[in-house]
Amino acid sequence: MADPTTAAAEISQAATQAPIAGVVTGAQSVATDLAPAAANVASSVASAPPVGPEITSGLIVDGTLDVLIAFSVVTWALILIKGIQHLRIGYHNRAYSKKFWSAKDFQAASALQDNQGPAARIAEVGFATLLETDGGTTTHDLEHTGERQELLDRRLRQQLQKERGSLESGLAILATIGSISPFVGLFGTVWGIMGALTNISKSGSANLEVVAGPIGEALVATAIGIAVAVPAVIGYNFFIRRNKVVWAFLDDFAVEFGHLALKTSFLIKRAGSNSASASRGETLVKKPALKSNNEDLETNGVQV
């Protein structure tokens, strides 16, 4: 026969565990019902676009590529503009030099018309200075102080500096692009690799397929930076060499112009002065003839 005390304890324990078993069974059924919804939420989170550092990394790399493309456009535009400028300068300098040295004398060279180019502008400044100092200048200031030779040398030197500034325009931009483009591309590459390594660490996989794609895309920035820098450096060096050739030509021309002006004692006749002198000479010749005719008429008893 069972002990009444033991039987009572078993009945009490069974009564206590019955609600707990019901709760556990209910929780299991709820978890089973919520499992598909939880799976859908996880898949949507996994398929969502990257946020935070990943978006920032992509924007920085894209911005770097845009900057390099802009550098490339500016580089080729400057190379085209400077190339056309040097072609025009070479043509005009050769044409004017041929006309100048084919002139009969220094006075005839000053009457040349329709001239273009740096050499022609230097000659025009020189001739204008000689005409300005013809007979002495009426302006007394610091610009016109000194002798005629000093004034001519100063004006020619100033014009040479203006022509040099025109030739050098744009070369500083080429030098800057050639210097900084590789570093801009390297910056984009480093930042892209940092973002790629962050994504790899989050994915938990480091196989070749995961690593090669993002890092290869980041290395494109360095390649583009080098591709932009090479034409800029080549163009800069080429135009620096061409500028030296043009400067040497203009400097020699200015020196020869000064020597020719020295032979003429820094004097040059103004245009139309010969015709004016000729007309004055004809007037002086006609007047004595008229006087002699009047004297003949008075001799013959005719009053004039």
Side-chain angles (χ1 to χ4, degrees), residues 15-131:
T16 304
Q17 293 177 351
I20 296 175
V23 172
V24 172
T25 303
Q28 291 176 352
S29 62
V30 171
T32 303
D33 296 336
L34 293 178
N40 292 334
V41 172
S43 61
S44 62
V45 170
S47 61
V51 296
E54 298 179 7
I55 293 180
T56 303
S57 176
L59 290 177
I60 290 177
V61 174
D62 292 341
T64 301
L65 295 178
D66 293 339
V67 170
L68 291 175
I69 292 173
F71 282 174
S72 179
V73 172
V74 173
T75 297
W76 286 107
L78 284 175
I79 289 175
L80 180 62
I81 293 172
K82 299 300 290 184
I84 295 174
Q85 181 189 24
H86 276 272
L87 288 176
R88 291 171 59 89
I89 287 174
Y91 172 76
H92 290 311
N93 281 346
R94 288 191 299 270
Y96 182 77
S97 178
K98 184 178 180 180
K99 291 168 61 177
F100 181 86
W101 295 110
S102 299
K104 181 176 61 175
D105 51 22
F106 198 56
Q107 179 68 38
S110 66
L112 296 175
Q113 301 294 330
D114 300 329
N115 304 312
Q116 296 180 2
R121 289 191 289 269
I122 291 173
E124 289 176 359
V125 169
F127 288 129
T129 303
L130 295 178
L131 290 174

Side-chain angles (χ1 to χ4, degrees), residues 95-176:
Y96 182 77
S97 178
K98 184 178 180 180
K99 291 168 61 177
F100 181 86
W101 295 110
S102 299
K104 181 176 61 175
D105 51 22
F106 198 56
Q107 179 68 38
S110 66
L112 296 175
Q113 301 294 330
D114 300 329
N115 304 312
Q116 296 180 2
R121 289 191 289 269
I122 291 173
E124 289 176 359
V125 169
F127 288 129
T129 303
L130 295 178
L131 290 174
E132 182 180 351
T133 57
D134 185 15
T137 179
T138 58
T139 305
H140 301 283
D141 53 16
L142 292 177
E143 183 181 359
H144 298 86
T145 55
E147 299 179 355
R148 294 181 179 180
Q149 183 176 1
E150 295 177 358
L151 182 59
L152 178 62
D153 292 341
R154 184 165 64 247
R155 294 284 181 83
L156 293 178
R157 186 170 58 253
Q158 291 173 355
Q159 186 63 31
L160 282 172
Q161 293 300 324
K162 290 180 182 179
E163 299 299 335
R164 175 171 294 186
S166 176
L167 289 172
E168 289 181 344
S169 62
L171 294 184
I173 298 177
L174 285 179
T176 302

Side-chain angles (χ1 to χ4, degrees), residues 107 110-111 131 268-280:
Q107 179 68 38
S110 66
L131 290 174
I268 188 173
K269 298 178 181 179
R270 297 182 181 272
S273 59
N274 294 334
S275 59
S277 299
S279 62
R280 287 195 300 268

Side-chain angles (χ1 to χ4, degrees), residues 280-302:
R280 287 195 300 268
E282 292 176 357
T283 304
L284 293 175
V285 170
K286 289 180 179 180
K287 285 183 178 180
L290 179 60
K291 183 177 180 180
S292 60
N293 292 335
N294 293 338
E295 291 178 353
D296 293 339
L297 290 175
E298 290 178 356
T299 304
N300 295 328
V302 180

Side-chain angles (χ1 to χ4, degrees), residues 57 60-61 64 183-193 218 221-222:
S57 176
I60 290 177
V61 174
T64 301
F183 298 102
V184 173
L186 184 61
F187 170 77
T189 296
V190 171
W191 204 278
I193 290 175
T222 298

